[in-house]
Structure formats: C-alpha cells, structure tokens
Amino acid sequence: MTSAPTGPDGRPGSDDRTAAWELLLPAAAAPARARGRALQAALREAVRSGRLAPGTRLPSSRDLACDLGVSRGLVTEAYEQLTAEGYLRSGRGAGTWVGDAVRAARPRARDLAPRSCGARVDFVPGTPDLALFPRSAWAAAQREVLTDLPHDGLGYPDPRGLPRLRTALAELLARRRGVVADPERIVVVSGVAQATALLGFVLHARGMRTVGVEDPGSPQHSALYAAAGVTAVPLPLDDEGLAVGPLRDSGVRAVVTTPAHQFPTGIACSARRRAELLDWARSVDGLILEDDYDGDFRYDRAPVGALQGLDPEHVAYAGSVSKSLAPGLRLGWLLVPESLADEVVERKRTIDLGHPSLDQALFARFVERGDYDRQLRRCQRAYRERRDALVAALAEHFPGSRVSGIAAGLHVIAALPRCHGSEEHFLARVAAAGIAVRPLTEYGHGAGGGDGTAEEVRLVLGYAHLTPARIRAGVRLMAEAVSVSCSPGVSVGAAPHQ
Ligand SMILES: Cc1ncc(COP(=O)(O)O)c(C=O)c1O
C-alpha cells in the first residue's frame, strides 16, 4: 500500500490500521454494480469495529482508489456517504478523518443465551415441547385469515384487542378456567409478563409503591414490578398456598399469586386459603393478580377453576399461550376488574398501540375452530406421560428421593438425597455431567427461600419439553454424576412420590 492512514497525532497508522485497508479489498473485488455499496459497508464496519480508530486520517480519495484499484468516484462517494452518516468527518481544508461519534461495540460481558445452552439434558423449567406446535393447523388458520381479512383489519387495532378474539377468549376461559369473562374487560397482551407490567404501571400511577410476591416465586414478577417503579415484597408460603398472616402484616394492597399451581413449589391453593385471600383483598380494597401460567394442565383431577371466578372485582386474571403453544408467540390475556379497566387499556395503548392484528385474528380462528382445545388435550396427554416418566426415574435412580407438589403443569420439585458434600458441590457435579438443573434456592428471595434440608437438594425439574426416553437418560446421568446408587432393584415406596 502506498498510503497508510495516519493517526490522530498525524503519525503513520499502526499495522492494525493498515490492515483496515485490507478489509476493503474484498469490497473492491465485488461485481461492478455492487462495488460502491460494498465499499461503503466495509468502510463502515472498519470504523464500527474500531479497526479505524476515531481521529484516524484517511488517505486521499485518489490514493485509496489507486490502492484498491477502483474508480476515484466510488471512493469519493463512499467518503461523502459515511460523512453524512457521522462515521467520518471532513476537515475545512482537504482531508477526511474517522469521526468521534462511533463507539466500537464491546464484546458481550456474558452470553445472553440461557445457561443450559448446549447441555446434554436440560431440565430447566419453563418451556413447553415446541415440537408439539401444531404447524399445519396454524398454517391453515393463517391462510384463511389472510384471505378473509378486510383491508381495514390491517389498521391500528383496538388496544383491548380484536373484538372477535376477546369474544372467543371469553367463551374459552369461562368454559375451561371458570373465570367471569366479559369480552369488554379482556385485554389481549403479549403474555403474562406484559399483563404484570401493565398492572404495575397502573398501580404505581395510583400511588402504590409496594406489591407482594410469592417467596419462593417467579423472579419475573419482582423484575417486572421493579421496571414499573414498584418494589416487590416477598411473602412466605405454607402448605395451603400464600400465607395470609404475613400478607396482612406486610401492609401491601396488591399481591401476585399462582394459585392453580404455585411457581415453583407446585402447591395448589386450598379452598380455605382462596377464601382467606379474597377476604384480605376486600378488607384492604386491594387487588390480587392471579398468574394462571400453567392452569390448564392438571393430571390427577380436573383443573380447579380460577380464583377470579369468585370475585372478579378484586382479582385480575392473566394467562397466555406460552405453555400450550409457544412462548415465542408472545400472546396472552388479562382480565381486569372494572375499576382498573380504563387505565390498563390506556397503558396498553401508550406502550405499543395494541397487539398485532394478524396474530390476534389467527388465534381467534384457531380457538373458534376448536384447534386450541385439541392442542391443550394433546399437551395434557404428553406432559402427563412425561411427568410419570420423571417420577418413576427419580424413584429408580435416587432411592429416598421425594417429589412434591400436585401432579400438574410442566415441572416438579424433587428433593434428592445429598450424599456428597454441599448443595454447591452436588450442583457442580451435575453441571459437569452436562445436565442443566435449577435448585429451588434460586427462586427464593432470602432465608425463607425453600432450601432443602441438610441431607437433600431440592431441584425444580422441567419435563414437558423432554421425551420420556430423554428424561430417563437425564436422571440416570444425574445419578451417576453424584454417585448415588443406581442399582435397578431398589424399590421406593409410592408414598413419597405424589
Ligand atoms: C410463574 C410464571 N408466570 C408466567 C410465565 C410466562 O409468562 P409469559 O406468558 O409472559 O410468557 C412464566 C414463564 O415461565 C412463569 O414461570
């Protein structure tokens, strides 16, 4: 190269900077029609990546054109374009420099992918079996919707959601979950997460600064309230669900709870506790947010109806398709008490101007045709079989282990004997064997977070996304990793395994 760039101090550029020109060579070799754009993209990338540091003086357009073997006009055009975009700046006299506005992207401090990525067997809870997604029924509904949707159906939607979907949801939720479902009080949202956040914002606007959350519970709840400026107050559980005494003592006037199948402990809220929670809400003129994240799936009996059905003015009810179809659809619903409805809808409008219309129309069609009921039945069959496989494998490979929580949902709590050292040690050996698990302690807010006893480790094991064969293999590998006896003849009494 005849013309190395010079640095901010006017000295010739380093070897690294010289290499930046080499990055431009492939662009110079691009087909004639694409060469100009390729040159601009390569130059932009050299600045963005830091290969060309801020303040670096660029060669004249004539020199660079000569080095690269392209026309001078292409280089001039690239300089002008990147100057307009702020990547370069030109001096008053002759000369072009790398601008100061660009900051090289730093390498990511930590990988954003889930920690279980690459695990041999992944028991991390929360995901349904994405292979059960009903692709052909979904595609058929999509085709029909696109054919039938009038042009104005593509305009900004009602922030509450399409009337047709709200009507379909009202029928579905009343029938399956026993909610009091008025289509006028349903807001279509992008999941329970958005429902939680919307309520957080509305409560904050009303002056509320604290909301109760279950401990142990979903870390999402606290994080979402924090984002709305509301502090989560951890509240303990007992055998019947959220403990009412501490709830009363806490002074909060709103609480989020998972009564059908507490996350993560798997406790079902008793009928007595339901009544006590409602008494509390009425006495403080408060609000219960019922998170019905997996309430459709119960394996030992018919699902117990939603708390909201008992008092729709004190309970807001939220659910989604995240456990039945796919969390990636980002589709859910919030049933709000009348007193909060306008404010919640206004928040929804402010945040995103309503949920995407096509997705709503498609899901409405899917529900109306009975496809969603079919999908729920299909998941119910698969998940029940998988839970049974997990419980049996634990009994076989971890004699003395206990499974707690009702037979429902997509995960169990397993208390496993800890033969060797601390919980940390146990988890490290399991992780080293390529098995991804979450201990119950990860879901606790503090000392009362549900630690296992000194002799056991309590794990939250998700099973819905794994085939029975994988579940068995995973449990066997886990047992081998912690050197627990795997002798097949060991029989474990049925009593500890619900
Ligand atoms: C307790 C609980 N609530 C709700 C959700 C789902 O939220 P969303 O409907 O936003 O996907 C999850 C997801 O794992 C959860 O664990």
Side-chain angles (χ1 to χ4, degrees), residues 57 83 89-97:
R57 182 172 184 165
T83 301
R89 64 184 161 79
S90 43
R92 239 179 288 129
T96 305
W97 287 265

Side-chain angles (χ1 to χ4, degrees), residues 188-201 218-228 256 289-293 317-323 327 330-334 348 351-352:
V188 178
V189 291
S190 63
V192 174
Q194 190 180 53
T196 309
L198 285 173
L199 281 174
F201 283 119
S218 166
Q220 278 289 328
H221 291 151
S222 313
L224 290 161
Y225 285 127
V256 58
L289 169 57
E290 178 173 21
D291 175 352
D292 199 31
Y293 68 106
Y317 171 92
S320 76
V321 301
S322 292
K323 307 295 181 221
R330 306 313 303 140
L331 182 62
W333 40 87
L334 173 62
K348 173 68 182 163
I351 284 174
D352 59 15

Side-chain angles (χ1 to χ4, degrees), residues 198-353:
L198 285 173
L199 281 174
F201 283 119
V202 166
L203 296 175
H204 183 271
R206 288 186 165 204
M208 227 179 250
R209 293 295 177 265
T210 53
V211 172
V213 296
E214 295 172 327
D215 183 13
S218 166
Q220 278 289 328
H221 291 151
S222 313
L224 290 161
Y225 285 127
V230 179
T231 303
V233 177
L235 296 167
L237 312 167
D238 61 23
D239 290 348
E240 297 189 52
L242 186 65
V244 175
L247 172 62
R248 286 190 201 286
D249 296 343
S250 70
V252 299
R253 287 185 47 230
V255 69
V256 58
T257 182
T258 45
H261 185 226
Q262 201 276 333
F263 187 85
T265 63
I267 296 167
C269 188
S270 69
R272 179 173 62 175
R273 185 56 47 82
R274 288 163 167 251
E276 288 168 348
L277 286 173
L278 294 173
D279 279 350
W280 164 82
R282 290 170 195 140
S283 70
V284 297
D285 190 21
L287 179 76
I288 297 170
L289 169 57
E290 178 173 21
D291 175 352
D292 199 31
Y293 68 106
D294 69 357
D296 275 299
F297 303 122
R298 179 102 193 221
Y299 313 122
D300 56 342
R301 51 159 295 160
V304 174
L307 188 61
Q308 188 265 8
L310 298 172
D311 189 344
E313 283 315 312
H314 289 97
V315 182
Y317 171 92
S320 76
V321 301
S322 292
K323 307 295 181 221
S324 50
L325 283 167
L329 294 181
R330 306 313 303 140
L331 182 62
W333 40 87
L334 173 62
L335 276 60
V336 267
E338 189 175 4
S339 57
L340 292 171
D342 289 348
E343 287 154 86
V344 168
V345 172
E346 206 37 51
R347 275 287 160 178
K348 173 68 182 163
R349 187 203 305 274
T350 310
I351 284 174
D352 59 15
L353 299 177

Side-chain angles (χ1 to χ4, degrees), residues 107-120:
R108 283 196 297 182
R110 68 185 175 90
D111 197 341
L112 294 177
R115 272 191 288 152
S116 56
C117 213
R120 285 164 85 187

